[in-house]
Amino acid sequence: MFKKPNEKIGVLGDGVTAKAVREKLAAWTIQEYPISEADIVVTSPGIAPRDYPSSKAEFISEIEFAYRLKQDEEIWVGITGTNGKSTVTALLAYTVGCTPQGNIGTPLISSIDTFTPIRVIELSSYQLEGCSTFRPDIAVILNITPDHLERHITMENYAKAKANITLFQTAKDTLIIPHDTLIESSTAASKAQRVYLEESSPLWKFTRHFPLPGYHNKMNALAAILVCKALKTVSDEVMMLGLSTFKGLEHRIEFVCAWDKRKFYNDSKGTNPDSTLIAVQAFDNPIHLILGGKDKGLDLTSFLNALKQEKIKTIGVFGEIKERFFKEAHIHAPTLPLTCFNTFDEATEAAASHSQPDDIILFSPACSSFDQFKNFEDRGTQFKRWVLEHYGQL
Ligand code: ADP
């Protein structure tokens, strides 16, 4: 049975999350209190804790707020990591037949008053940072690599925020993680049963049925398989059907079109260096890489070194980061075949003109989109539209 909250609730922010919380309060005929008078304040993931107004209230994320209203019989699966969250969340939700929730789209609070047997929830470090009792039955941390350091400052803080997903789990719960020093040390205090994401898993054989390209997608498939097994209610037939018929998400190494024996791919969701390198690894053919966007201040040295690969034929950099990228490449990787452009279309046109038959033209920006676009979806949609207009006919 769902029970409405009975504390004095304040809401911080006015984005998607805050709107969803306010809508629910209105639907439950619960008054929103000013922050200074509230017992609890439901925060928005875009606002860093250092920017919270001073108040005697407890500040919690929308995920924590929803968790406090959870119905006992529901099973919650939480998925976090630097990269692959949306793919694994969507794949699992598709396989078990529920709507993916959390960071991927529908805020958790929006359906909290409707009993849902299994909830598959994508969780960002910002959402987990504001959790203080949240306990999913099954937690997955896919990987942790440098990202969002403008907010978390150090990798240890970033890992600590992600580790909140398992901090309150008990011995009845499951924690799925890779063998990774930072992840293992930050989750050392967890009481949950550990299951490892590793190629030596006896379940790895099932990943060959997953149609999406790249080794990373096999890991994503394995994560979903391990969750299905931990749920105990998903048959192998249902699991295999989900795995083998999943179409992938828009803007993740998404095929756009073939032109004169070249192929264009949109990986606009590649918003950090690691995800771009993963996309590069997913192909064996020569690649013309287009990257750039808003500078998140990440260290570029190891990224530039990792781009020194025979198969990367040209790199076109556009957007806010281009000057720093060019300067640092001059110091650390002067032989990279790098050219700067103002916009993605100039970079794509140059990439196409330098390409040979069988080459891949890969748009995987490694940066966030907010310098020239509304978000990564807008950026990917504009890229696809432009490519189809110019190269979609042959
Ligand atoms: P997220 O929701 O965590 O941003 P997505 O599933 O949307 O992750 O994938 C974003 C990008 O991250 C993909 O285009 C791909 O380049 C990369 N990626 C996906 N899965 C993984 C993984 N398991 N490990 C590393 N990189 C990945």
Side-chain angles (χ1 to χ4, degrees), residues 184-245:
E184 289 181 276
S185 63
S186 57
T187 59
S190 169
K191 297 191 180 66
Q193 300 168 45
R194 261 154 239 262
V195 178
Y196 283 97
L197 261 175
E198 57 191 347
E199 209 178 317
S200 59
S201 163
L203 299 169
W204 180 258
K205 59 178 185 283
F206 289 113
T207 64
R208 70 171 188 274
H209 300 283
F210 193 53
L212 302 192
Y215 181 81
H216 67 289
N217 271 320
K218 289 198 180 297
M219 276 299 166
N220 292 340
L222 181 63
I225 293 166
L226 294 173
V227 172
C228 287
K229 291 291 171 189
L231 283 168
K232 298 198 177 85
T233 48
V234 184
S235 69
D236 279 0
E237 289 69 33
V238 167
M239 184 179 86
M240 293 302 297
L241 187 67
L243 275 183
S244 58
T245 59

Side-chain angles (χ1 to χ4, degrees), residues 81-88 122 142-143 216-217 219-220 249 251-253 267 269-270 274-276 278-279:
T82 304
N83 293 307
K85 298 181 292 297
S86 296
T87 303
V88 175
E122 175 181 328
L142 292 164
N143 44 54
H216 67 289
N217 271 320
M219 276 299 166
N220 292 340
L249 293 171
H251 312 300
R252 281 87 172 166
I253 318 184
D267 188 43
K269 186 67 194 289
D274 200 61
S275 63
T276 294
I278 290 289

